[in-house]
Amino acid sequence: MARQLAFPLPARPALGREDFYVAPSNVSAVAMLDAWQAWPQSKLVLTAPAGGGKTHLAHVWAQASGARIVSAAELPDADIPALLRGPLAVEAADTIAGHAPAEHAAFHLHNLAQAQATPLLLTARTPPSRWGLTLPDLASRLEATTTVQIDAPDDALLHRLLEKNFADHQLQVRPETIKYIARRMERSAGAARDIVAALDRLSLAEKRPVTRVLAARFLEH
């Protein structure tokens, strides 16, 4: 069958608390963020692989705490005192490693947050000890920060992640198709996101719904 050019609508991730599925793999992280007012030294590092739920959980925390969310890439040019007028979440904090302006900005931000007892959440793919920070004072402070991890999803959560990603792409997919995909895919939240995006593109290109047959053909390649 001839294919047409596909122009998929951008996915619109649902990032509310009602859209975050609590499971054994993330229950510790959820509990820590729910108890944000009791964080040791008012700071926490949240880790998970790409697509593992860090951003979603950071938004859940921001809704509960009134926090602002910024990317670590914004820090070198940011007005640090203005950022810390309330709780703050810094996403992709591990990406500052090796970039002197970003590391110095993060050091200033960390110290000011501590001085003001302003709650600070940092999200990253790995714990600070593995970031490769070159500023020793920053490295020592972040390595001493409490860290909580989101683990790989269990069966139930993997199904829910697929359902959510299909919904984000405005795709209606039968439960048996989702079950079929879940049994054969890599067991990670990032894989669920990528598979759904790829099936969305394939579905548009072939003008077919996402069925078990389409999923099987995609997964076999």
Side-chain angles (χ1 to χ4, degrees):
M1 176 179 290
R3 295 191 181 187
Q4 65 175 11
L5 291 176
F7 298 97
L9 294 173
R12 297 179 181 176
L15 297 174
R17 179 61 183 259
E18 68 279 6
D19 304 300
F20 190 88
Y21 309 120
V22 180
S25 58
N26 61 36
V27 66
S28 295
V30 172
M32 283 296 294
L33 269 74
D34 281 345
W36 62 275
Q37 292 169 313
W39 289 349
Q41 298 181 296
S42 298
K43 58 180 180 173
L44 182 74
V45 176
L46 172 65
T47 70
K54 301 182 298 295
T55 292
H56 194 161
L57 197 49
H59 278 80
V60 171
W61 177 69
Q63 290 173 1
S65 65
R68 180 175 180 177
I69 300 176
V70 299
S71 167
E74 300 175 46
L75 295 183
D77 299 318
D79 181 339
I80 300 300
L83 287 182
L84 290 171
R85 288 174 183 159
L88 180 69
V90 178
E91 291 213 273
D94 48 331
T95 61
I96 68 173
H99 301 280
E103 289 198 27
H104 281 88
F107 183 60
H108 177 36
L109 181 143
H110 172 277
N111 289 348
L112 184 57
Q114 291 288 279
Q116 299 176 168
T118 301
L120 177 64
L121 174 66
L122 304 173
T123 73
R125 292 165 295 180
T126 58
S129 61
R130 297 175 56 188
W131 295 359
L133 294 168
T134 58
L135 189 62
D137 288 341
L138 176 62
S140 64
R141 284 161 173 77
L142 294 185
E143 288 173 19
T145 301
T146 300
T147 299
V148 65
Q149 174 178 304
I150 299 176
D151 296 322
D154 58 17
D155 288 344
L157 181 56
L158 198 59
H159 280 73
R160 298 299 296 272
L161 289 171
L162 286 167
E163 291 174 353
K164 179 185 182 301
N165 278 280
F166 280 124
D168 288 346
H169 283 261
Q170 297 90 49
L171 292 172
Q172 293 185 344
V173 180
R174 296 177 66 87
E176 56 265 32
T177 300
I178 292 176
K179 185 177 181 180
Y180 177 86
I181 296 169
R183 285 178 173 175
R184 291 161 176 81
M185 62 178 283
E186 174 190 324
R187 301 184 62 80
S188 74
R193 175 199 60 200
D194 294 343
I195 287 171
V196 169
L199 285 172
D200 187 14
R201 292 191 296 270
L202 185 59
S203 172
L204 281 167
E206 298 192 357
K207 294 185 177 181
R208 295 181 178 182
V210 177
T211 62
R212 176 170 169 168
V213 172
L214 190 71
R217 182 152 52 83
F218 171 76
L219 292 171
E220 286 171 2
H221 289 349

